[in-house]
């Protein structure tokens, strides 16, 4: 009987994990329950807990990278809503909830919808920093989308006129709350994007309840901001308010006034810089002019400029001294060459054969060859005797 190959525990756990990880329904879940067995790991900063209701419980973990964003301290017995994914912890072979965000329960359906959309758009990458664009450092056209009657537009215009009055404000009034708010905002964003009517775009409104701000939590508004060709600054509510638009925009401002400050530079700072640069350049130019004037002054007061004849005489004297030095050097060189030549001539004369012959010696040659030994001659050979004053022909007798 052939038995099938046994699976290892790791293989089983890995297979089950792959099944759960591939389940689209478990990739983004929202679970409400009561916290129990809460532990804050002091070394890693991770949260370990159990979520339970009247009948069941599920283990959960929230890593430190996620729990840093929490604005409350989880405790045992606290009712919460957790957003995350279900997966398997391979080592123990148990499934658990990996929490990515959490809030105390009791916020209602709007908060659940908010968290669900936030998780969905985050998974799609709409919040990724890689998609964020730089806000222009000196925009000459600032687009503003907000209510034409609210305080937000007044705050924005006041800040823009104070900080950078050179910028042109392109305003589009929209509804910022109610059933028609989201379509109105989307239409305005698309219009700015298609016409590229501004260098930077401020989208927002003043503070209010979550219901008042809900238009900026709509998916269509988030996608319009994401697809906008112009860098967008989200300015919704007060500093503590966060909307979906804040996460998807290129830059989030805590208030409409702050958005205006982030959109344009402070002209006073630029003016201060220009004045400082102007003073620096003026000072540098003045120093250069003063140096050149001093050079001219020194030149005009110099002897060569006041009495050029003295300078000419001085140079003539210097030229004469150079000429005399050259002539002396040439004479010394010639004398040395003559002395060396005479010495060489004397040495050559002392070594000359004629000098030897003049003392009574004679040189014997035969057929123009010098004879250095008597054995080289035979009886009857003709030889020549070379004296200092002439030659004679001779015949060898014996």
């Amino acid at each position: 009987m052939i038995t099938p190959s046994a699976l290892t525990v790791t293989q089983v756990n890995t297979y089950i994990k792959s099944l759960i990880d591939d389940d689209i329904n478990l990739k983004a879940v929202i679970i409400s329950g009561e916290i129990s067995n809460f532990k804050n790991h002091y070394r890693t900063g991770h949260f370990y807990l159990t979520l339970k209701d009247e009948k069941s419980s599920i283990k959960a973990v929230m890593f430190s990278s996620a729990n840093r964003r929490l604005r409350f301290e989880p405790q045992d017995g606290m009712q919460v809503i957790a957003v995350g994914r279900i997966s398997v912890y391979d080592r123990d072979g148990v499934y658990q909830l990996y929490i990515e965000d959490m809030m105390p329960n009791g916020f209602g359906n709007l908060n659940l919808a908010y968290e669900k959309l936030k998780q969905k758009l985050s998974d799609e990458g709409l919040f990724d920093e890689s998609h964020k664009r730089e806000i222009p450092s000196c925009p000459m056209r600032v687009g503003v989308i907000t209510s034409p009657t609210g305080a937000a537009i007044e705050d924005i215009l006041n800040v823009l006129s104070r900080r950078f009055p050179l910028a042109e404000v392109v305003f589009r009034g929209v509804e910022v709350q109610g059933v028609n708010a989201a379509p109105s905002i989307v239409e305005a964003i698309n219009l700015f994007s298609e016409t590229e009517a501004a260098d930077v775009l401020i989208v927002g409104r003043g503070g209010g309840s979550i219901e008042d701000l809900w238009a900026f939590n709509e998916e269509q508004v988030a996608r319009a901001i994401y697809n906008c060709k112009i860098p967008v600054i989200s300015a919704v509510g007060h500093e503590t308010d966060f909307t979906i638009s804040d996460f998807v925009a290129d830059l989030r401002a805590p208030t409409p006034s702050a958005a205006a400050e982030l959109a344009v530079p402070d002209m006073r700072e630029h003016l201060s810089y220009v004045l400082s640069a102007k003073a620096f350049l003026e000072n540098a130019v003045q120093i250069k002019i003063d140096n050149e004037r001093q050079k001219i002054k020194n030149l005009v007061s110099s002897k060569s400029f006041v009495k050029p004849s003295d300078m000419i005489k001085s140079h003539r004297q210097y030229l004469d001294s150079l000429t005399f030095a050259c002539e002396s050097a040439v004479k010394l060189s010639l004398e040395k060459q003559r002395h060396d030549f005479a010495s060489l001539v004397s040495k050559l004369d002392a070594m000359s054969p004629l000098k030897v012959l003049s003392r009574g010696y004679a040189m014997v040659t035969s057929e123009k060859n010098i004879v250095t030994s008597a054995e080289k001659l035979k009886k009857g050979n003709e030889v020549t005797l070379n004296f200092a004053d002439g030659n004679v022909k001779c015949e060898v007798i014996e």
Side-chain angles (χ1 to χ4, degrees), residues 43-56:
R43 287 186 177 176
T44 62
H46 304 330
F47 291 170
Y48 297 94
L49 60 138
T50 299
L51 286 181
K52 65 178 184 177
D53 56 20
E54 295 83 1
K55 297 180 180 181
S56 300

Side-chain angles (χ1 to χ4, degrees), residues 15-54:
Y15 177 70
I16 294 174
K17 175 178 171 62
S18 68
L19 292 177
I20 293 179
D21 288 346
D22 290 340
D23 191 332
I24 190 171
N25 295 316
L26 300 179
K27 287 185 177 181
V29 295
I30 301 175
I31 300 177
S32 63
E34 178 185 328
I35 295 177
S36 64
N37 301 320
F38 177 76
K39 292 180 182 178
N40 183 352
H41 196 277
Y42 69 95
R43 287 186 177 176
T44 62
H46 304 330
F47 291 170
Y48 297 94
L49 60 138
T50 299
L51 286 181
K52 65 178 184 177
D53 56 20
E54 295 83 1

